Amino acid sequence: MNPQALFPAPKSQNLLTNSSRPGYLFRTYLFLLAVLCCFVRVAGQRNTAATHVPYSTIGLPGVVHFTEKDFEAGVQNWMIAQDSLGILYFANTDGLLTYNGNDWHLYPLPNKTLVRSLVIGSDGKIYTGGQDEIGYYFPSSNGTLTYRSLKKYLPATERSFADVWNTGITGGRLYFRCTDRIMAIDTAVGNRRSVVYPAPSEWVYMACVREGVLAQDRKKGLLMYKGGHWNVLTKAFINQVITSIVETEGHGYLITTLKGGISIFENGKVRPVPLPDYVTAAHIYTAASVSRDKFALGTTSRGVYIINEAGQILRHFDSETRLQNNNVLSLFVDREQNLWLGLDKGIDLVDYNSFIQTISPIYNTPAACYTALVYKGQLVIGTSDGLFKAPLSVPLTEDISFSRGHFFKVAGSSGQVWGLYNTGDQLLMGHNEGIFRVEGVSAVPIYKHEGVWLFQPLPGNGQSRRQWLTGNYAGMELLRDSLGQIMDGGRIPGSPYESLRFMAMDTVRHVIWASHPYRGVYGLQMSTDMRRVLGIRLYTQKDGLPGTLNNYVYTLKGKIVFCTDKGLYTYDPQRDRFFPENNYKKIFGKLSVRLVCEDAKGRIWFVTHKKLGVYIPSRGIRYFPELNGKLISGFEFILPINDKNILVGSNDGLIHINFNKYQGRHEPVQLILTRVNAIAARDSCLFNGYFTQRNTVVKSQPEQTIRHLPARFNSFHFEFTATSYRPPREFEYSFQLEGFDKKWSDWTAKKEKDYTNLPYGSYTFKVKARDRFGTASQVMAYQFVIEPHWYQTTLAFLLYILLFFAGLIYGRHLLLKKFEAQRTKFEKEQQKLRYLHQLEIEHSEREIIQLQKEKLEAEVAFKNQELASATMHLFKRGKLLSKLKEELSGAIRKLPDDESHGDFSRLVKMLSEAEKQDADWEQFAIHFDEVHNNFLSNLKDAYPELTPSDLKICAYIKMNLSSKEMAQLLNISLKGVEVARYRLRKKLRITSAQVNLYDFLSSVRRQAGS
């Protein structure tokens, strides 16, 4: 039966009704009694919610909410556990709920009822108790959690029961508690025996501890099972409801009750632990150990209290401090000291052991914090809604976020508080409305004309002559100390009418540098006493700055530096220009920096792109992703007090960083492989988060679980995550598929990897993770084998070899056959070529003969032409000689003197002899036959009846002379030539008029030649 049902939680009560509250307030504000009237006024202005908050620390850890929309299960979670892989398990209303840091999974019970309790065995089995159901979850062959019921091992008469409120393991047995019975079953798989222990009156609570089993009966008290019997340990808890039993550092137990507070049971004695009444009245429903001597108490109406063994309240978390609700059903501290709360509605993760705490001066109300200061044992915070103070109960050498107390608002400080300055004996406040002096719980105005950003002390001559410059909305104002009274000294003459929020003073050169985020950097040349502005120059991009926008001036390590969008710059007075600062170039490079400051250890804290970082000389730059998006853009603030106290302004309170704890926390990163899918036509889940061997969950893959997959499964999807839950969960992963990838991949935030179209072979997927500190996890590996296709097997390759050799033999045969065919073809082609060659030769010979014939014919034609020319020449000469002879003969006859007749007669005789020589036919015939291959001789032989005149006619025809030419040569008329030709035709026996005489003579020549 549910203890909450037995004792319903009371409605929320007003803690002002608690009689201890006035005494507490009196002690808290004892130091303010001298200004009691002011205190009453301020108390009236305090957030009324603060009066309901128990005495707690000013710093609160981060809280991560998980709602039913996140885990998609029932809203109530009754118990929490963690296994060796780091996976968390929740006994949820809808079943067993798991969380691995990335995915939520729900595993319902077979009867679909709620899971009330759970415990994890050393073998990895998750034993659960539900409504009318007991059993355990264990991975199947592919790593999927599967439920196995244990009801069958109970006696048949005991298999029907109500809710199982507690489940435990000890001494090789499982114990399940209902209100009417406790069921015990052996854990040994092969020989499970069961025993049922009925309740003497009513079993109220049960816990398995180092000494055995403790159980509370309502009427008998607290009992222990030992040696086969239930023995009463104490009757101190009769008629009470024990809600938890937690082992202490010694040999005792911290026992909590629903309404009776808490006690320490040790050495058989019960020692009550004093608690404030409001804690007891909140109904303690669960408890857990958070450290060696600290415990967390979960209540039904007021959240969680952190106490020590003495019962002192150390911290308090409730809905007013950002829990989802105040009804805590379960508590669990994981291996990273994170505090998990199973709430009546949802799950909360409290980063209890975080090095970062949030200090909210305005209780339960987000407020931007622009500045802060520790002044006279008080933490003073300037916000967007005024100035707030809280007394520090711890020294500055300790973590002040653990200081217990409350903030109160300083009267008269409403509005934006931009800056705070400690003069040594007074606290000055730069405000939206001017300058104020903070006196106790009130703010007294000094100057109320323009809003003031900051304070700069001027060099002076003693305590009584102190003066300060202030940067305000419209330039600079002077403050001066007059006999311990700080007064307005008026506007600095010559100062520009610009908002001067960033200033740095160079007292050697008497220059004040004032940066304007939108205009550039002002260089103000001051008088030697630094009380007047003698000259102003605005430096912009043309003067060496990387840009006109986003320039900020600070003093770092005693030197003035300028933060820009491209790193840190410095001013060179010799060249009157700005240049990158070489000392910081290798640190920040061209990083856009908005703010820099140095702590006592030489570390440089800075802000870039709304991120907080720190440069550690021996380790480089480290960032704080927990603060990403929380800094106030343009109004960043960092105050490094010491290693345990770094204060950072944010838009939701003041962030406190314990840098000592930051440097000391390097928990090992644990990585798990959550899923492996083989992808084919239908996907197959090869692995679902758990390896098992010999019926036990193990962290690495056993060799016998290596899967051999058909060749069609050649694409794979891997999912993995680090089981670390402390926010922010910023991890990087690197992976490699051995057998495919040549090297590890680059680090990435992706938690999954796909491979497609892998060839057959053996593969090992390896993945590792690292956190932002560079701490790496062990390598997680998953091995699998892709079998080859049937045509890629060894038998197939043997067949391929046989086929190859058979192919070689057959190929050789084909080649030989081909070569024979090619040889035959070649021979035929050669014969053909020879024949063609012979034809070509014959053709060439015929062409040569033809050319020779043509040459001979040309020569004959030429000779004929020469003979014709010679013949004509002879004819003309003969004619000339005849004419000369006639003329000469006539001339002689006319001569009167007969004496000269003898000479001329001799001349005529010579002409007659010459005429006879030219007419020598025989000589012509010889030459003609030489040209025409004995044409005349052959013709004479063929036709003996031909006369010399006929032969001469034939020669002239052969020479292709015309009838006119022949008439001239023969000294006859054309008619005579025709008659001679006719007679010649008859002698040659040419009967047909169609036969040409020239052609006939040519044919006669060929016949004669043949």
Side-chain angles (χ1 to χ4, degrees), residues 841-853:
I841 291 174
E842 292 176 357
H843 177 72
S844 298
E845 289 178 350
R846 286 195 296 270
E847 286 185 347
I848 292 171
I849 293 171
Q850 181 66 28
L851 290 173
Q852 289 175 349
K853 179 182 177 182

Side-chain angles (χ1 to χ4, degrees), residues 791-806:
Y791 52 80
Q792 296 172 319
T793 60
T794 303
L795 182 61
F797 279 108
L798 290 176
L799 180 60
Y800 298 154
I801 293 172
L802 293 176
L803 291 175
F804 175 73
F805 283 108

Side-chain angles (χ1 to χ4, degrees), residues 254 262 264 271-276 293-295 307-314:
L254 177 77
I262 61 176
I264 298 292
R271 173 171 55 87
V273 177
L275 282 178
D293 58 350
K294 295 183 178 66
F295 304 91
I307 67 169
N308 57 21
E309 287 191 15
Q312 184 180 10
I313 305 298
L314 304 178

